[in-house]
Amino acid sequence: MTPTTETAADRAFCIEVGIRPDRRDVLAARLVETAREAGLALPDGLSTRRGYSLRIAGGEAEARRLADALLADPVLHTARVSTPEESPAEPDTHRVEVARRAGVMDPTAQSVVRAAAALGLRVSDVRSWQAYVFPGSADVALLERLGKEVLANDIVEDVRVDPTTGIPPAPHLGDKAFELVHVPLEGADDARLVQLSRDGCLALDLVEMKAVQAHFAREKRDPTDIELETIAQTWSEHCKHKTLTGLVEYEGKVWDNLLKSTIARATNELDRDFCISVFVDNAGVVAFDDEHHLTMKVETHNHPSALEPYGGAGTGLGGVLRDTMGTGLGARPVASTDVFCFGPHDLPMEDLPKGCLHPLRVMKGVVSGVRDYGNRMGIPTVNGAVCFDERYVGNPLVYCGSVGIIPKDKVHKEVRAGDRIVVCGGATGRDGIHGATFSSLELHDESESVSSGAVQIGNAIEEKRVLDVQLQARDRGLYRAVTDCGAGGLSSAVGEMGEQCGAHVVLDDVPLKYHGLTYPEIWISEAQERMVFAVPPEHVDEMLALCASEDVDARVIGTFDGTGRLTADFHGTPVMDLEMAFLHDGLPRQKRKATRRARDLSDPPALPIAAAGDMLLEVLAAPNVASKAWIIRQYDHEVQAGSVVKPLVGPRRNGPGDAAVVAPVLGSSRAFAVGCGLNPVLGDVDPYQMALHAIDEALRNVVCVGGDPDRTSLLDNFSWGNCEKPENLGDLVEACRACYDGAMAYRTPFISGKDSLNNDYRVGDESRSIPPTLLISALAIVPEIGCAATMDLKAPGHELVLVGLTGPELGGSHLARLQGATGAAVPPVDLELAPRILDAVHEALRAGLVASCHDLSEGGLGVAAAEMAFAGDVGADLDLGAVPTRDDADVVARLFGESPSRLLLEVVPDKLPSLRDVLGDLPHAVVGRTVEAPRLRVTDGADVVLEQPLDAMRAAHLRTLDLDGEHGAS
Amino acid sequence: MTTPSVLVLRAAGTNCERETAYAFERFGATSETLHVNALLAEPERLLAHHVLAVPGGFSYGDDVGAGAVFAAELGTRLADPLLRFVDEGGLVLGICNGFQVLVRLGLLPGLDAPLGRPEVSLTDNVSHKYEDRWVKLAIASRSCVFVGDMEPPELPLAHAEGRIVCRDEALLARLRDEDRIVFRYADGSGRPTDAYPANPNGSVDAIAGLTDRTGRVLGLMPHPERALFGFHHPDWTRAGYDGSGPPDLGPGAPLFLNACDWVRRER
């Protein structure tokens, strides 16, 4: 696509579409609520308008026709046509307008142009906006606050209150004069090198800058700005994982490449036959059925989501979906996961650090971003988790995962000399400049203003278009390799694909959204929804024609040329000539020191047993345990028609399922389960055990729904504070060690991972780190749909069997937290016992011996039993005296302790003997029965510990995050 | 016997085409999935099929209104073949976004307007949010060939703009009088309801699905293709916990079976 051009005859108009007075203005009603939550009382009578500014061939009659035939629905709307010169004011009203800033993605523009063409109208320079009109006298200061705090995000949007002119159509940016820039490195001293890195937002440290300086000294020249940018992108922590692959000195031992010596080492030593492609492509690939493999990748998108939650989270999901599309010759996404860490959603406003968005606003924005991207792409979002902790206030975490399916013969990719470089999808604009390097820097209260270019806004429909044509091109064999444009933009994508071969690019041939981009901006822009293909010359025409047939922009921008160098021209002038070997292997290895963190740990005070009943409700209502139904229902989790076990289960559809099960091939009963484990609070006590717990939890979750633990793969995502702080790095070493030990013990290989190791944010003069946060995702084969299970109790009169041992430790538990303590120790994972428990439970599920199954995690046995009971609308009696324990775990630990590797099973009485045979010598016991009465009663021998009605427990679980006040309506 | 032949029409942002095509194939149909650009180039390809399915998704992102852009394309450039297709006995099924397209196009409910003039509209849910949930439906009319003798089904839906609004009260009365309402959202006892969430979007008269004067065009917000198999139903594990597994077919299957049977019988 070339930048749009106007002709002299095209005239500018504003078309404003309002809701007819006799129709309900749903958006206005919702907005009043949102403003009230933000502490703003809006005057009555708000009405909302959708606006479009554009140029149209012809005059007012044409604009009127466009309004009536397309933009307004006569059943619902009225439309007003004016010119940008006219004042939009209406008598006795005030008006707030929100419009995206020039150059920010506006997907609506393209749709309007297309639909107008169908009506025979030529339209260009479309810009859409929103107006909010208040009748009578309104406080202008209030409206300004409304605009800033509720309606708009400054980073991407402009707000106007009571404007006197209309919004003009999208402006045309002027072309910049081309001037080749060299960066003077020769003779620069250390201070100057550091300054150059900082000024250029390069995120290279002094050692790295010196390596660059030495390289160009050998070449006897200074680098151009685009060369330096390319090196910075390629060497960024985001792309190179410098910490995990560097040298780390910890407690007298030097770890040479933590990644290779722990996580990848386990995968290599296990050598499982179902691992098809691991740690080499954009996602891990594992065997699925006779015709297909599965792929999985989980990404983080933390810093963009801190600044612009909606765009950041949406493009986070869009990015990981492109990872799936960029794996092998392209997998088709079949399921998404999302895991978030936020500050407390009810944080008092006065506790909010300057420059931070309120956690509730972040959460709503992030959820909407994932919702709108995933739902539009038509990928079911099936699994997730949310964790709240004050330390995420300035630096929320957003993990997006994607499972894909790929034909077995489409996994191999290669680039050959002579292949053309074809870029498909969205045009390149000035969005997302410096994303890769930005993610490697600390967030601070001015991040908003200096990094606004790092924020991207997604266009899911563009990505769906690309996916549609890519799968056809793949099946026709039109290309030999593909990767996505992610962090670092074309510089990373072309640089990686051409690593062995070399590549030459003509930057003038990259399709642009608008004029005015400099050549380095074209090269490193992280504009979304682009894929890069290696297309043999004989298939270029067919590839371009296929793309054109579905309105996907595709362009040859260069050649993989066999030179071993990465070169580019702009306006006929060579601007880049880098040696691939230096670019990919010239990065000096980091050496860092790690230390063990000193911890001040204490156990909580003893809980009086009389308080157990209230404590159970309190734990059920704790934000990390409470129902996430408000989020889950906003995601389409059933599109593609593969949903076997949904995220919410039970007759009232409010039971928190352990994991989702998806059958991705229509008509086949083979399925997979995807689950996760994450509990950063345990890391405050013991990061080694935190990581083992995360692995154990992810595996428990997939086993509960029918996943085969012997056909399960793991993914690791580390989000850590700044690892130049030796204590943060010490935590990382501990967690990596646990990943190795855990993977070996369970025989579950890691197949992919990603780290984000600079999650520090500055509040005033203080630099704060997030807690070390390891997300483990598990992907398990469910051999047959029939062996899937859900956690809701099925009927009265059944036995409840607890499998696994309960220990006395309370470290990191909810019980400890609610009493204001860390706990002195985390209950350790027994690596000998745990895998045997999972295997046995899986065997029991396969044999049809289990009516329901739930893992014990946050809140322990009490919460697990409560959730199963209210989810199934079936009561339960539990006897804590029967719980299998070690080391004299007391009644409180039996009820609320969070010992790992435990599952609670519901069993029909006549199947109990068979279940006992399967469980053999593993610790297990009948700890209760299901009953008619709608309540949970817990006893300790003859003593009643607590009794709670199902309704009370259900209400406690639902109310905390019931953000629209539906209170569990289902 | 005729083999039912289904054209599944997609545009940028359509995302339920695979499972929609599969649902017909499951009952003996053949299917062709076409991008709207291909149909615009050769409109007569429509007439080679017995059924036109417009699947769910977000055609053109639902920018400027749900289904509005897709409907503008169909209404201006494919109006004649579309009307001919229906006149000659073709079946049309619009699911979710497909329903929104058919309504915006004016093909549904098609009381008297020519194409291009909507009589009803599907707009923002009263909850003002996208929701995925299962709903119970009451069958209001069996005049539509897709319905046949099916039981009132429980089906999943997932949308943000599913609330039916009529141009005026008189029009709503005509929908009732002329038997255009096929499905209504129902409460636990099967009675139509305005109460959220059983009526998930606040649709007037609890309308969930509409047909035209021929009974051969059906549009509905819920997704029968996501209730094709027994394992799709959220309660299958409550019956199948003895290891017997889910039943083969789910509550959405009859709509596809009935359409295929009708073609085999009547064409």
Side-chain angles (χ1 to χ4, degrees):
Chain A
M1 183 166 57
T2 48
T4 43
T5 51
E6 69 196 277
T7 57
D10 292 357
R11 288 178 53 199
F13 288 97
C14 299
I15 300 172
E16 184 167 314
V17 178
I19 311 280
R20 271 171 43 170
D22 54 338
R23 299 286 179 236
R24 189 194 282 252
D25 189 335
V26 174
L27 176 58
R30 171 65 47 173
L31 202 59
V32 169
E33 275 300 297
T34 311
R36 194 180 48 72
E37 284 167 20
L40 301 176
L42 297 186
D44 291 338
L46 166 66
S47 61
T48 65
R49 318 283 164 83
R50 184 82 195 269
Y52 305 86
S53 299
L54 45 82
R55 289 180 201 284
I56 193 163
E60 189 168 343
E62 282 70 25
R64 192 73 239 176
R65 192 155 96 66
L66 182 69
D68 292 342
L70 177 71
L71 301 178
D73 176 337
V75 178
L76 302 169
H77 300 133
T78 58
R80 185 176 78 168
V81 176
S82 61
T83 65
E85 294 75 32
E86 290 174 60
S87 167
E90 297 158 58
D92 304 319
T93 62
H94 288 280
R95 177 182 179 93
V96 183
E97 284 178 356
V98 177
R100 290 184 181 183
R101 293 191 167 178
V104 174
M105 158 66 66
D106 185 355
T108 303
Q110 210 180 354
S111 299
V112 173
V113 171
R114 183 180 172 98
L119 298 168
L121 298 168
R122 190 180 75 214
V123 164
S124 62
D125 302 340
V126 181
R127 218 173 155 189
S128 66
W129 40 273
Q130 201 76 38
Y132 306 87
V133 177
F134 298 88
S137 60
D139 174 359
V140 172
L142 173 81
L143 298 185
E144 275 167 359
R145 275 189 63 199
L146 174 75
K148 200 169 157 49
E149 292 170 26
V150 177
L151 298 177
N153 185 333
D154 287 356
I155 293 185
V156 290
E157 290 162 321
D158 284 322
V159 178
R160 307 196 306 171
V161 176
D162 288 337
T164 54
T165 56
I167 292 175
H172 291 233
L173 303 171
D175 229 343
K176 282 200 182 127
F178 165 58
E179 187 188 353
L180 182 61
V181 176
H182 285 87
V183 181
L185 291 188
E186 193 187 337
D189 62 13
D190 290 1
R192 176 72 191 141
L193 289 175
V194 168
Q195 186 69 34
L196 282 169
S197 173
R198 188 178 307 143
D199 291 351
C201 205
L202 300 177
L204 296 175
D205 68 16
L206 179 61
V207 176
E208 292 158 353
M209 284 300 287
K210 286 180 119 153
V212 175
Q213 188 181 38
H215 174 76
F216 283 97
R218 283 192 298 277
E219 296 223 334
K220 299 189 172 51
R221 65 183 179 99
D222 278 326
T224 62
D225 53 355
I226 191 173
E227 289 174 329
L228 201 51
E229 288 278 13
T230 303
I231 293 166
Q233 299 294 332
T234 309
W235 290 7
S236 66
E237 179 68 54
H238 189 96
C239 296
K240 274 283 188 227
H241 313 289
K242 294 183 274 203
T243 305
L244 277 173
T245 57
L247 297 161
V248 177
E249 190 186 329
Y250 179 63
E251 301 199 322
K253 175 176 175 180
V254 175
W255 293 81
D256 181 351
N257 194 328
L258 269 173
L259 194 61
K260 279 200 177 142
S261 55
T262 59
I263 294 164
R265 180 176 153 214
T267 303
N268 291 335
E269 291 180 4
L270 287 169
D271 194 23
R272 301 300 308 264
D273 60 359
F274 57 81
C275 291
I276 305 298
S277 161
V278 290
F279 294 116
V280 292
D281 207 334
N282 286 310
V285 184
V286 294
F288 180 60
D289 66 13
D290 291 342
E291 289 161 34
H292 307 91
H293 297 315
L294 294 179
T295 69
M296 188 166 181
K297 173 66 170 278
V298 181
E299 266 286 7
T300 54
H301 220 222
N302 303 335
H303 286 189
S305 304
L307 297 178
E308 213 299 288
Y310 179 83
T315 53
L317 179 56
V320 79
L321 294 174
R322 285 197 305 281
D323 280 328
T324 298
M325 294 158 63
T327 298
L329 293 174
R332 182 170 63 82
V334 293
S336 303
T337 67
D338 58 3
V339 174
F340 310 134
C341 298
F342 300 125
H345 70 289
D346 52 359
L347 185 79
M349 271 312 212
E350 57 269 26
D351 295 345
L352 187 67
K354 179 171 175 275
C356 295
L357 297 175
H358 190 275
L360 183 62
R361 186 168 178 191
V362 173
M363 175 162 79
K364 288 188 166 185
V366 164
V367 170
S368 314
V370 168
R371 174 196 68 201
D372 285 356
Y373 211 102
N375 293 355
R376 278 173 165 69
M377 276 286 282
I379 319 297
T381 301
V382 299
N383 181 259
V386 188
C387 174
F388 297 91
D389 189 294
E390 289 200 0
R391 291 167 289 178
Y392 297 116
V393 165
N395 196 137
L397 304 182
V398 173
Y399 300 92
C400 294
S402 171
V403 181
I405 192 163
I406 187 167
K408 286 168 84 168
D409 63 350
K410 303 293 184 193
V411 173
H412 179 71
K413 63 168 92 173
E414 62 171 335
V415 171
R416 289 194 202 154
D419 287 349
R420 299 293 186 262
I421 305 170
V422 174
V423 59
C424 285
T428 298
R430 199 177 282 116
D431 26 8
I433 302 282
H434 285 140
T437 51
F438 166 61
S439 72
S440 310
L441 296 169
E442 181 179 82
L443 284 174
H444 49 81
D445 60 14
E446 284 165 16
S447 293
E448 283 192 33
S449 47
V450 299
S451 313
S452 63
V455 174
Q456 311 102 2
I457 303 289
N459 180 353
I461 301 303
E462 182 69 55
E463 190 148 305
K464 178 66 163 73
R465 263 198 282 259
V466 174
L467 175 63
D468 289 346
V469 292
Q470 186 194 334
L471 294 178
Q472 296 171 62
R474 179 194 73 185
D475 294 343
R476 288 196 214 166
L478 297 185
Y479 57 86
R480 264 198 277 264
V482 58
T483 200
D484 66 304
C485 262
L490 290 170
S491 79
S492 295
V494 176
E496 281 169 28
M497 286 178 84
E499 181 174 350
Q500 304 303 326
C501 181
H504 178 71
V505 171
V506 178
L507 291 168
D508 309 77
D509 291 344
V510 176
L512 301 181
K513 287 179 185 162
Y514 36 74
H515 293 289
L517 271 70
T518 65
Y519 61 94
E521 285 175 334
I522 295 170
W523 186 231
I524 65 166
S525 161
E526 294 177 11
Q528 299 290 298
E529 291 93 25
R530 299 176 302 167
M531 301 295 290
V532 178
F533 297 86
V535 181
E538 64 272 24
H539 293 324
V540 165
D541 289 346
E542 189 178 349
M543 179 80 181
L544 299 185
L546 171 63
C547 291
S549 75
E550 302 203 4
D551 308 311
V552 173
D553 205 9
R555 200 79 64 86
V556 177
I557 63 163
T559 305
F560 294 107
D561 60 2
T563 58
R565 299 186 76 84
L566 182 60
T567 58
D569 292 351
F570 190 61
H571 287 15
T573 305
V575 294
M576 175 169 63
D577 185 2
L578 286 170
E579 189 186 64
M580 283 287 189
F582 174 71
L583 183 62
H584 289 285
D585 305 322
L587 171 68
R589 293 190 69 194
Q590 284 187 345
K591 287 179 201 157
R592 286 189 169 160
K593 281 203 173 8
T595 56
R596 189 177 291 271
R597 190 183 299 277
R599 292 183 165 81
D600 180 20
L601 304 172
S602 62
D603 264 327
L607 181 77
I609 205 64
D614 290 342
M615 180 55 80
L616 178 61
L617 296 187
E618 213 180 319
V619 178
L620 283 167
N624 291 355
V625 175
S627 174
K628 309 299 184 294
W630 178 84
I631 298 174
I632 294 166
R633 282 211 190 290
Q634 295 191 58
Y635 298 148
D636 189 341
H637 43 260
E638 294 173 283
V639 61
Q640 298 191 18
S643 174
V644 178
V645 172
K646 301 173 206 308
L648 295 169
V649 301
R652 296 179 188 235
R653 323 277 191 252
N654 58 12
D658 291 283
V661 177
V662 175
V665 179
L666 292 164
S668 160
S669 65
R670 197 166 174 86
F672 65 83
V674 57
C676 64
L678 168 136
N679 195 344
V681 178
L682 299 177
D684 294 338
V685 184
D686 185 340
Y688 177 85
Q689 286 297 336
M690 170 188 79
L692 284 186
H693 272 250
I695 293 170
D696 192 71
E697 183 180 7
L699 293 173
R700 288 189 321 258
N701 282 334
V702 292
V703 165
C704 278
V705 297
D708 181 351
D710 194 44
R711 305 286 284 178
T712 299
S713 314
L714 299 177
L715 293 89
D716 61 280
N717 284 84
F718 294 88
S719 284
W720 240 245
N722 183 351
C723 283
E724 285 171 17
K725 297 179 182 172
E727 294 185 327
N728 284 342
L729 192 52
D731 290 342
L732 186 67
V733 176
E734 289 293 323
C736 286
R737 282 201 313 119
C739 285
Y740 173 78
D741 293 347
M744 293 304 292
Y746 297 99
R747 303 191 70 239
T748 47
F750 283 95
I751 58 165
S752 171
K754 193 80 197 212
D755 53 286
S756 166
L757 303 183
N758 218 325
N759 293 288
D760 273 26
Y761 61 103
R762 191 163 282 281
V763 177
D765 292 334
E766 185 196 352
S767 179
R768 295 186 190 172
S769 296
I770 62 159
T773 310
L774 172 62
L775 168 66
I776 296 288
S777 306
L779 176 65
I781 304 300
V782 178
E784 177 65 34
I785 282 168
C787 63
T790 54
M791 52 71 77
D792 46 308
L793 292 182
K794 301 300 186 291
H798 293 171
E799 311 284 356
L800 292 171
V801 176
L802 177 61
V803 188
L805 276 178
T806 301
E809 304 85 355
L810 295 173
S813 67
H814 265 76
L815 179 74
R817 242 180 290 179
L818 288 170
Q819 295 176 279
T822 54
V826 172
V829 177
D830 182 335
L831 289 177
E832 191 276 322
L833 196 56
R836 293 174 51 216
I837 288 175
L838 296 181
D839 287 345
V841 170
H842 177 65
E843 193 184 331
L845 279 161
R846 273 187 104 151
L849 303 177
V850 179
S852 71
C853 179
H854 196 23
D855 88 308
L856 275 58
S857 58
E858 291 176 80
L861 177 61
V863 164
E867 289 176 342
M868 292 172 80
F870 70 66
D873 253 337
V874 173
D877 285 350
L878 281 185
D879 178 9
L880 297 175
V883 169
T885 60
R886 63 169 168 76
D887 303 324
D888 303 323
D890 66 7
V891 173
V892 171
R894 284 179 236 168
L895 183 55
F896 291 117
E898 299 181 8
S899 289
S901 314
R902 296 181 303 161
L903 302 100
L904 188 57
L905 314 181
E906 178 192 6
V907 185
V908 177
D910 64 15
K911 291 187 174 174
L912 186 61
S914 306
L915 178 71
R916 284 191 181 282
D917 286 345
V918 171
L919 294 174
D921 64 345
L922 293 169
H924 70 278
V926 174
V927 296
R929 285 179 76 79
T930 59
V931 300
E932 290 278 356
R935 51 110 174 100
L936 173 67
R937 188 212 303 258
V938 179
T939 55
D940 178 23
D943 303 332
V944 175
V945 174
L946 66 84
E947 182 169 328
Q948 286 289 2
L950 297 186
D951 283 342
M953 298 188 295
R954 185 182 294 122
H957 189 247
L958 285 169
R959 71 162 186 260
T960 306
L961 297 175
D962 184 19
L963 298 181
D964 292 322
E966 282 153 21
H967 213 73
S970 66
Chain B
M1 201 160 45
T2 314
T3 299
S5 166
V6 182
L7 174 67
V8 178
L9 185 61
R10 68 186 175 89
T14 301
N15 63 30
C16 302
E17 65 275 19
R18 297 169 60 90
E19 55 268 38
T20 303
Y22 180 86
F24 285 103
E25 290 168 4
R26 174 69 182 68
F27 298 107
T30 58
S31 79
E32 176 183 37
T33 299
L34 267 192
H35 191 279
V36 65
N37 286 353
L39 190 61
L40 287 168
E42 297 176 80
E44 65 282 2
R45 283 173 83 166
L46 173 60
L47 302 169
H49 298 277
H50 306 108
V51 183
L52 168 66
V54 189
F58 287 82
S59 54
Y60 303 100
D62 283 351
D63 301 330
V64 316
V69 177
F70 202 176
E73 290 189 323
L74 296 180
T76 50
R77 299 170 62 185
L78 288 169
D80 291 341
L82 203 53
L83 290 172
R84 204 178 125 203
F85 177 78
V86 175
D87 285 347
E88 292 178 358
L91 304 187
V92 182
L93 176 62
I95 301 170
C96 195
N97 192 238
F99 183 27
Q100 293 164 337
V101 169
L102 298 184
V103 159
R104 186 71 188 252
L105 180 63
L107 194 62
L108 282 176
L111 291 167
D112 43 29
L115 290 192
R117 181 148 187 274
E119 297 166 329
V120 307
S121 188
L122 282 157
T123 187
D124 302 342
N125 297 350
V126 167
S127 67
H128 195 253
K129 65 180 177 190
Y130 188 102
E131 279 191 300
D132 178 328
R133 60 170 77 241
W134 280 64
V135 291
K136 290 195 168 68
L137 298 182
I139 294 175
S141 167
R142 294 190 183 272
S143 65
C144 173
V145 302
F146 289 88
V147 176
D149 59 356
M150 77 188 292
E151 295 288 311
E154 195 179 357
L155 296 177
L157 50 72
H159 63 251
E161 296 177 70
R163 175 168 55 106
I164 290 267
V165 173
C166 294
R167 196 168 60 207
D168 49 42
E169 278 295 322
L171 196 132
L172 177 59
R174 283 186 63 194
L175 290 182
R176 294 184 192 125
D177 296 346
E178 298 180 28
D179 208 16
R180 300 301 165 87
I181 302 169
V182 179
F183 294 116
R184 287 195 175 95
Y185 300 110
D187 61 18
S189 61
R191 278 189 295 271
T193 181
D194 291 331
Y196 178 84
N199 178 336
N201 47 39
S203 224
V204 65
D205 203 16
I207 297 172
L210 293 169
T211 190
D212 74 339
R213 73 195 140 71
T214 69
R216 283 182 276 104
V217 180
L218 172 67
L220 74 170
M221 286 313 295
H223 283 274
E225 81 284 12
R226 300 181 188 180
L228 184 70
F229 299 120
F231 71 74
H232 282 138
H233 194 287
D235 287 341
W236 78 262
T237 58
R238 297 190 69 74
Y241 65 78
D242 56 354
S244 60
D248 185 25
L249 292 177
L255 285 169
F256 301 98
L257 173 64
N258 292 339
C260 290
D261 279 349
W262 188 88
V263 170
R264 282 187 283 258
R265 206 168 53 237
E266 306 285 338
R267 298 293 296 271

